[in-house]
Amino acid sequence: MAARIQQSPQPGGGKRKGKAQYVQAKRARRWDGGGPRQLEPGIQGILITCNMNERKCVEEAYSLLNEYGDDMYGPEKQFADKDQQPSGSEGEDDDVEAALKKEVGDIKASTEMRLRRFQSVESGANNVVFIRTLGIEPEKLVHHILQDIYKTKKKKTRVILRMLPISGTCKAFLEDMKKYAETFLEPWFKAPNKGTFQIVYKSRNNSHMNREEVIKELAGIVGSLNSENKVDLSNPQYTVVVEIIKAVCCLSVVKDYMLFRKYNLQEVVKSAKDLSQLNPKQAAQTGNGKEAKLESGDKSSQNDPAEGKNNQQVVPENSEELGPTESISETHVVNEGVAKPELASQVTEGSESNENDL
């Protein structure tokens, strides 16, 4: 809504009228949901990339996440309803201080009641949508979605490209990331837990972080948690995903990253066509290898190395299908040969990629 401002008449009694100026009034943003309005440290969620249509992407994300969320966790229920108490209390009517405290508590409770299981927040980057989650485990939900799409080969989205679970966020500074990753990575890599891994790094709207330094520090942390953790780029058991947007670092550890085509929903559906183009012997070998890896889950690190090579041949990287957002700054830890004990130096030397950072 524009506000009309009339200029005062010029001194001297002139008849010339002041020219009207119209100033665009600030439009108040409506925020019905509680919680943070933008991506910030300390929240969990799902990072989704799209192709130039963020509004449609949010709609598809809500539909897809609610469908599978209800399947895994049951119908959505309101949060913090157990703390809600009746508003009427005769004993506190005379106590002004207690009444004020109670009113503030009711306001906070009503805000918490509006928290939803999935809530879109501003990501800070174009063609990127961040869905904050409450009461669920993002990595399990996204893996369940991709596993179902991989089996059924049914396309359920049009504008959503990749869907990455974000299990933790911190400030995008090297010291903060090191301190946070030391405890964040323990459930997967601290002894007696172990596994093969690779590191995937991507940065948006950030210029003060160095890719090689981040990869070297994270690889060193994984190696310090358990010396038996090894780098494997052909068929890793775990993939450490590092997504930096402005001053926020998003971290997650996912499974079947290569099998599910870098968690790209469009490419997972198209993988059936890739199999049909091979001869029957290759298709059978590749299909058996993929199904065995999918069913084994945590035991995927025990697969034959030849199987990983077959998977790479059947699932080639196709940057054209990733859209304009995906083919710009994806950076993977690249290494040739079998992993060696020197994790930090090995990952650093092999961290070159044919894709550039923003």
Side-chain angles (χ1 to χ4, degrees):
M1 181 177 181
R4 187 173 184 271
I5 300 178
Q6 182 72 28
Q7 291 184 348
S8 60
Q10 297 179 352
K15 295 183 179 180
R16 184 178 177 181
K17 295 183 179 179
K19 186 177 181 180
Q21 294 181 354
Y22 293 86
V23 179
Q24 184 69 25
K26 292 184 178 179
R27 182 177 298 177
R29 298 191 61 182
R30 185 176 180 182
W31 185 258
D32 294 333
R37 300 185 181 184
Q38 60 184 4
L39 179 60
E40 61 183 25
I43 65 175
Q44 291 183 335
I46 300 172
L47 190 147
I48 303 172
T49 62
C50 61
N51 191 1
M52 306 301 293
N53 194 340
E54 295 184 13
R55 179 175 296 182
K56 181 65 175 177
C57 177
V58 173
E59 294 177 359
E60 288 186 354
Y62 280 151
S63 176
L64 190 66
L65 294 175
N66 285 322
E67 175 186 351
Y68 287 92
D70 293 344
D71 183 36
M72 290 187 65
Y73 301 97
E76 181 178 4
K77 59 182 179 180
Q78 294 176 329
F79 291 89
D81 54 354
K82 62 182 180 180
D83 297 331
Q84 188 180 18
Q85 297 179 356
S87 58
S89 178
E90 298 178 358
E92 296 181 355
D93 292 341
D94 298 334
D95 193 346
V96 178
E97 183 178 358
L100 289 175
K101 289 183 178 180
K102 187 175 186 306
E103 184 177 357
V104 172
D106 292 341
I107 293 175
K108 290 182 178 180
S110 62
T111 302
E112 293 177 351
M113 291 290 290
R114 292 198 300 268
L115 294 179
R116 304 297 303 274
R117 176 184 289 172
F118 305 108
Q119 179 64 54
S120 174
V121 299
E122 295 181 6
S123 64
N126 293 330
N127 298 327
V128 177
V129 172
F130 191 89
I131 305 295
R132 175 187 54 77
T133 60
L134 285 177
I136 67 170
E137 296 176 278
E139 64 278 1
K140 291 185 178 181
L141 176 60
V142 175
H143 189 274
H144 176 65
I145 294 174
L146 288 164
Q147 184 176 359
D148 183 68
I149 295 177
Y150 177 82
K151 289 182 178 180
T152 61
K153 304 299 180 184
K154 183 178 180 181
K155 186 175 181 180
K156 295 191 175 184
T157 61
R158 298 185 61 183
V159 300
I160 292 179
L161 297 178
R162 301 177 68 201
M163 181 176 286
L164 294 172
I166 302 300
S167 303
T169 54
C170 64
K171 294 181 179 179
F173 297 95
L174 189 59
E175 293 300 324
D176 295 277
M177 293 173 60
K178 289 169 56 178
K179 184 178 179 181
Y180 184 79
E182 289 175 354
T183 57
F184 175 79
L185 298 174
E186 287 182 354
W188 297 275
F189 300 109
K190 186 176 181 180
N193 298 326
K194 62 179 180 179
T196 58
F197 72 98
Q198 68 173 346
I199 298 177
V200 178
Y201 176 91
K202 193 170 197 177
S203 177
R204 298 179 177 90
N205 299 339
N206 182 290
S207 59
H208 67 270
M209 296 300 301
N210 184 276
R211 177 192 63 188
E212 286 76 13
E213 291 182 359
V214 173
I215 292 174
K216 180 179 179 180
E217 294 295 339
L218 292 180
I221 293 173
V222 175
S224 64
L225 293 175
N226 191 338
S227 59
E228 296 184 7
N229 294 324
K230 304 296 181 181
V231 176
D232 184 3
L233 304 175
S234 61
N235 187 19
Q237 184 177 356
Y238 300 109
T239 297
V240 181
V241 178
V242 183
E243 292 278 343
I244 296 179
I245 302 179
K246 290 187 176 181
V248 180
C249 174
C250 304
L251 293 174
S252 63
V253 180
V254 300
K255 300 178 182 178
D256 300 321
Y257 187 76
M258 305 305 295
L259 176 65
F260 292 153
R261 309 298 294 271
K262 302 178 183 180
Y263 277 44
N264 189 307
L265 274 64
Q266 308 296 330
E267 294 298 315
V268 169
V269 177
K270 294 179 181 179
S271 61
K273 298 180 181 179
D274 297 336
L275 288 174
S276 63
Q277 294 176 357
L278 299 177
N279 58 59
K281 184 177 180 180
Q282 290 179 334
Q285 292 177 354
T286 306
N288 294 336
K290 286 189 174 183
E291 292 299 330
K293 179 181 177 183
L294 184 60
E295 293 176 359
S296 61
D298 295 340
K299 298 181 181 179
S300 61
S301 62
Q302 301 178 359
N303 291 346
D304 189 87
E307 179 185 339
K309 296 181 180 179
N310 292 336
N311 289 343
Q312 282 187 330
Q313 294 175 358
V314 177
V315 190
E317 294 190 12
N318 189 356
S319 59
E320 296 179 357
E321 297 297 335
L322 297 180
T325 305
E326 297 303 314
S327 61
I328 296 178
S329 61
E330 181 75 18
T331 304
H332 295 280
V333 182
V334 179
N335 185 18
E336 296 180 357
V338 183
K340 298 180 180 180
E342 296 80 13
L343 292 178
S345 60
Q346 179 187 7
V347 177
T348 305
E349 293 175 359
S351 60
E352 298 298 330
S353 176
N354 58 351
E355 300 176 356
N356 299 324
D357 298 335
L358 284 177

